[in-house]
Amino acid sequence: MSEASNTPAVVVPTKRSIEAKWGAPITKAGWTGIPNILIRRQRTLGIDALDLNILLHLLSYWWEDENHPHPSKETLAQAMAVSASTIQRRIRAMEAGGLLRRIERRREKDRSETNLYDLTLLRDLLEPHAVQELEERNAGHERRRKRMTSVTKVEP
């Protein structure tokens, strides 16, 4: 724990630690940082398995904060063995639920490019869950610390 903030120190995985865990070929093929809170609070957030899969795919294309991912619906559909219309319908529902925001891109003559997907809404939605998770974790650590340090004298 950090003494200044009384919160657990954050361990950021390095390329080296990820490679030790998964091996060089897998790591070199690419990896994505996924917040555990997204997985652990999936049910609470109302995210079903297909929606989570779509979000994981979108996250795998989100390399930098300011550059929104923009895979095509067809690319996502092929990766998950579902139809592009299923992807479109589910993304529309996730947008209505406040998990993401679609940004349409138009070219000249009313032609479309792939949508951009703003996932900062998801980040904002996850933050209070993460804060709650940290509070619960800290309370558990404190209870264990008190249990371990409180010794009762036993009379002979």
Side-chain angles (χ1 to χ4, degrees):
M1 288 210 187
S2 167
E3 287 184 37
S5 65
N6 201 26
T7 59
V10 176
V11 178
V12 178
T14 63
K15 183 177 179 183
R16 185 178 221 155
S17 66
I18 293 169
E19 189 171 302
K21 182 176 181 179
W22 289 103
I26 293 171
T27 305
K28 287 178 183 172
W31 56 276
T32 301
I34 307 296
N36 288 341
I37 201 72
L38 174 61
I39 298 164
R40 292 183 182 147
R41 300 281 172 106
Q42 174 185 348
R43 183 175 181 186
T44 303
L45 294 163
I47 300 171
D48 70 12
L50 182 55
D51 293 341
L52 181 61
N53 199 358
I54 292 168
L55 289 170
L56 293 175
H57 277 273
L58 290 175
L59 289 169
S60 77
Y61 288 93
W62 192 22
W63 303 304
E64 296 172 339
D65 184 39
E66 65 278 357
N67 295 328
H68 301 302
H70 53 274
S72 70
K73 289 179 275 301
E74 291 77 18
T75 297
L76 297 173
Q78 287 176 3
M80 290 178 250
V82 298
S83 69
S85 62
T86 296
I87 297 294
Q88 183 176 25
R89 187 173 52 255
R90 300 306 284 263
I91 287 175
R92 206 176 303 131
M94 284 191 285
E95 184 175 32
L99 295 171
L100 56 82
R101 184 171 63 95
R102 283 179 301 153
I103 303 167
E104 291 185 16
R105 298 189 299 167
R106 295 277 179 203
R107 288 191 282 183
E108 50 190 67
K109 299 183 183 177
D110 203 35
R111 294 188 55 188
S112 293
E113 290 191 35
T114 58
N115 291 329
L116 296 173
Y117 297 98
D118 180 355
L119 298 171
T120 58
L121 296 174
L122 178 62
R123 180 174 57 203
D124 295 344
L125 184 65
L126 291 175
E127 188 170 338
H129 292 275
V131 169
Q132 181 182 8
E133 177 90 9
L134 291 171
E135 289 170 354
E136 290 168 1
R137 189 180 303 166
N138 285 337
H141 290 312
E142 186 61 24
R143 282 191 304 275
R144 279 189 294 285
R145 188 188 66 72
K146 283 181 181 177
R147 241 187 357 255
M148 300 299 281
T149 57
S150 63
V151 178
T152 57
K153 235 181 186 178
V154 178
E155 296 290 327

